[in-house]
């Protein structure tokens, strides 16, 4: 079953806040500075009963030692994936794989055209589907049903390639990176597709900093918990 996660800077207050809100999985923001403090991150991560994924830094200002530390962090926390933007994958993938050929680099969907999405997923083999990006940039004028149809098609053809999911509460005409509970139909529709295809990776409520507070985090966790309870009851009926 899919595993709900939140995304934060790996600092003590963020770990505690997420855990208190009911999250048991998290994705770390990373940057050059944080990759120089991997031991501190590990010490914090081991204090919480959580599972993790990593988000590779978005700035191309890294040296070999930073890449080595990123791979070390990946292994030490038993991360499910390293989410990485296309330009950074192009620049650093060979170096990262030279350090460890088994590292999971899950390239994130950004602005992939709709008629190219299936081929793009197949080409890369390990991807992060950003559901907000798909509806906002791949299908900008589409209805929710059209969006969900495309997402289902990705899983029908290439489910094995999807390693990670970003899912803030996208709603056309509103801002990016909002809490999931503010777009219930969007998120519940995606949850159902992921469950139908037995996706067991992290599904990240990727929200902006103003929404990383106890109320909004708990509301997102409750949305997932309510869906999970209903889904389980339906399967047992």
């Amino acid at each position: 079953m899919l595993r709900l996660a939140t995304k934060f800077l790996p600092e003590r207050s963020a770990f505690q806040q997420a855990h208190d809100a009911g999250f048991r999985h998290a994705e770390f923001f990373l940057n050059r500075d944080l990759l120089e403090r991997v031991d501190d991150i590990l010490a914090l991560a081991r204090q919480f009963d959580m599972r993790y994924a990593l988000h590779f830094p978005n700035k191309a200002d890294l040296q070999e030692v930073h890449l080595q530390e990123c791979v070390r962090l990946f292994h030490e926390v038993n991360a499910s994936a390293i989410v990485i933007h296309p330009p950074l994958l192009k620049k650093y993938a060979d170096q990262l794989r030279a350090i460890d050929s088994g590292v999971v680099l899950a390239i994130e969907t950004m602005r992939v055209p709709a008629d190219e999405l299936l081929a793009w997923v197949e080409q890369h083999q390990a991807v992060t589907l950003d559901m907000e990006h798909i509806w906002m940039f791949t299908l900008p004028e589409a209805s929710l049903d059209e969006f969900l149809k495309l997402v289902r098609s990705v899983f029908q053809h290439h489910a094995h390639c999807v390693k990670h999911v970003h899912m803030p509460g996208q709603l056309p005409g509103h801002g990016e990176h909002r809490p999931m509970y503010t777009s219930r139909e969007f998120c519940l529709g995606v949850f159902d597709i992921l469950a139908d295809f037995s996706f067991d990776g992290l599904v990240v409520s990727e929200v902006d900093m103003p929404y990383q507070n106890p109320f909004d985090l708990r509301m997102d966790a409750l949305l997932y918990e309510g869906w999970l309870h209903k889904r389980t009851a339906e399967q047992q009926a």
Side-chain angles (χ1 to χ4, degrees):
M1 184 61 74
L2 61 96
R3 297 174 285 167
L4 184 69
T6 186
K7 182 178 177 181
F8 54 63
L9 284 168
E11 300 172 345
R12 177 176 295 280
S13 60
F15 279 97
Q16 191 66 61
Q17 181 171 253
H19 194 273
D20 290 348
F23 287 90
R24 295 299 177 264
H25 305 89
E27 176 184 326
F28 297 159
F29 286 108
L30 293 174
N31 55 36
R32 180 187 173 109
D33 176 64
L34 288 167
L35 289 175
E36 294 172 357
R37 297 190 285 114
V38 163
D39 286 337
D40 293 339
I41 295 172
L42 289 172
L44 279 172
R46 288 165 178 158
Q47 293 177 33
F48 293 86
D49 182 19
M50 301 177 75
R51 298 286 301 278
Y52 304 107
L54 312 180
H55 197 298
F56 193 78
N58 291 334
K59 291 185 178 181
D61 59 352
L62 307 176
Q63 299 174 0
E64 178 74 13
V65 64
H66 299 111
L67 305 183
Q68 292 172 347
E69 287 296 88
C70 186
V71 171
R72 181 167 76 93
L73 180 60
F74 171 81
H75 285 296
E76 290 285 347
V77 300
N78 193 27
S80 56
I82 299 177
V83 181
I84 187 166
H85 289 179
L88 284 302
L89 182 70
K90 183 177 180 180
K91 182 175 178 65
Y92 293 116
D94 288 347
Q95 289 174 268
L96 288 163
R97 289 173 177 143
I99 296 168
D100 180 0
S101 61
V103 69
V104 180
L105 301 176
I107 184 173
E108 184 173 354
T109 46
M110 304 298 284
R111 295 176 180 264
V112 184
D115 60 355
E116 298 177 15
L117 183 60
L118 292 183
W120 184 91
V121 172
E122 183 179 26
Q123 171 193 350
H124 289 289
Q125 291 296 303
V127 305
T128 295
L129 289 186
D130 188 302
M131 299 301 176
E132 182 170 70
H133 289 166
I134 293 173
W135 199 5
M136 181 175 290
F137 301 129
T138 298
L139 293 173
E141 305 298 327
S143 67
L144 176 59
D145 285 345
E146 290 172 304
F147 159 78
L148 293 173
K149 182 179 179 180
L150 180 60
V151 171
R152 184 171 290 277
S153 181
V154 171
F155 280 89
Q156 287 171 337
H157 290 88
H158 305 304
H160 65 285
C161 298
V162 183
K163 306 302 182 184
H164 195 77
V165 170
H166 280 171
M167 195 169 67
Q170 165 61 9
L171 195 63
H174 293 73
E176 297 181 63
H177 297 151
R178 299 162 65 247
M180 293 192 309
Y181 76 90
T182 65
S183 187
R184 292 176 54 86
E185 291 78 11
F186 167 76
C187 294
L188 295 176
V190 175
F191 284 162
D192 282 337
I193 293 171
L194 298 176
D196 287 347
F197 288 89
S198 302
F199 179 73
D200 63 355
L202 269 59
V203 180
V204 183
S205 171
E206 186 189 26
V207 300
D208 279 342
M209 288 301 297
Y211 302 115
Q212 292 183 26
N213 61 72
F215 176 81
D216 286 312
L217 289 174
R218 184 58 188 149
M219 288 294 288
D220 274 0
L222 286 171
L223 177 70
Y224 169 75
E225 291 166 11
W227 168 84
L228 183 60
H229 177 78
K230 181 173 181 291
R231 178 92 182 187
T232 302
E234 289 172 350
Q235 290 176 335
Q236 293 174 347

